[in-house]
Amino acid sequence: MTEAATRRTPGTPCWTSLMVHDLAATQDFYHAVFGWEFTPGPQQLGAYVRAVRDGRPVAGLGELPPDRHLPVAWMTYLASDDADETAEMIRACGGTVAVGPLDADEAGRMLLAADPEGAVFGVWQEAHQPEIPATGAPGAPVWHELMTRSATGVAKFYQMVFGYRPEPADPADSGCRTLFLDDRPVCAIQSAGGTLPRDRGPYWTTHFAVADVAEAVRRVTASGGRVVRPPSRDDAGRSATVTDPEGAAFTVVLARGGR
């Protein structure tokens, strides 16, 4: 996510949230890993809190109804100037709108949708000048990727709905598309093919910045999470993929000046 002086460009990842079965335990986990504190948030979909780091919002946590046995996963919200119009575009381009559009207190208007491959994402229309979430600092989101069967196939949907310009992340790698808005990379689509978990389909994933990747992984395991991909280094820098105790996967990446 990136900061803007007023409204975010439509299509920009602007928020990330997680719906879980045990909200109190999940708050304890992310406080231990990222140092998050929590304040009350909109309650339209049930108990919900905003995670705060250094006085700035970074993410949302909500609690699923007891009878909803859904996969637990971080969900990316994409900015919109008109949530109702975006909902119509999603439907027209082969996606599904599952919830909304509906008002979230006086903060804005939102909806939950799925792309044609089944990956769930949110859309957020700010009601006024946005309260810009922290980005890039330790404990805050720094990047969002869609893990799907074919980046080439689903990229057209996001291009039509949000106006992205998809480009290969690497000319030699046809399995990844970086999505640009106004010549600025904002998120990516990664072809996961047969490596997608058997119990779920395509999904959006959030990358959080940390000051020390190895220490973040240690905190994850000490707090009941597990390691999916141990710390390693690639073109994007040092990172690791982990899950929280309820199985929600996320990636920790080295913040600038970290180690």
Side-chain angles (χ1 to χ4, degrees), residues 153-204:
V154 79
K156 188 65 175 179
F157 166 82
Y158 289 97
Q159 182 180 12
M160 293 172 67
V161 175
F162 295 105
Y164 297 126
R165 189 182 81 250
E167 292 188 1
D170 183 335
D173 180 10
S174 61
C176 184
R177 293 287 187 275
T178 300
L179 303 182
F180 287 79
L181 290 171
D182 300 328
D183 296 322
R184 176 172 51 92
V186 294
C187 53
I189 302 177
Q190 179 72 49
S191 293
T195 65
L196 287 172
R198 293 182 179 180
D199 60 344
R200 63 179 300 180
Y203 61 96
W204 281 87

Side-chain angles (χ1 to χ4, degrees), residues 86-172:
T86 300
E88 291 304 314
M89 282 294 296
I90 289 169
R91 295 187 185 101
C93 295
T96 303
V97 176
V99 177
L102 54 84
D103 293 328
D105 291 342
E106 298 179 356
R109 196 158 170 78
M110 56 84 69
L111 64 88
L112 303 181
D115 66 28
E117 295 294 325
V120 176
F121 62 95
V123 172
W124 178 249
Q125 175 190 341
E126 198 79 37
H128 44 74
Q129 182 167 328
E131 180 184 17
I132 302 296
T135 59
V142 68
W143 188 246
H144 299 259
E145 284 187 351
L146 170 61
M147 309 301 290
T148 191
R149 295 181 181 88
S150 171
T152 304
V154 79
K156 188 65 175 179
F157 166 82
Y158 289 97
Q159 182 180 12
M160 293 172 67
V161 175
F162 295 105
Y164 297 126
R165 189 182 81 250
E167 292 188 1
D170 183 335

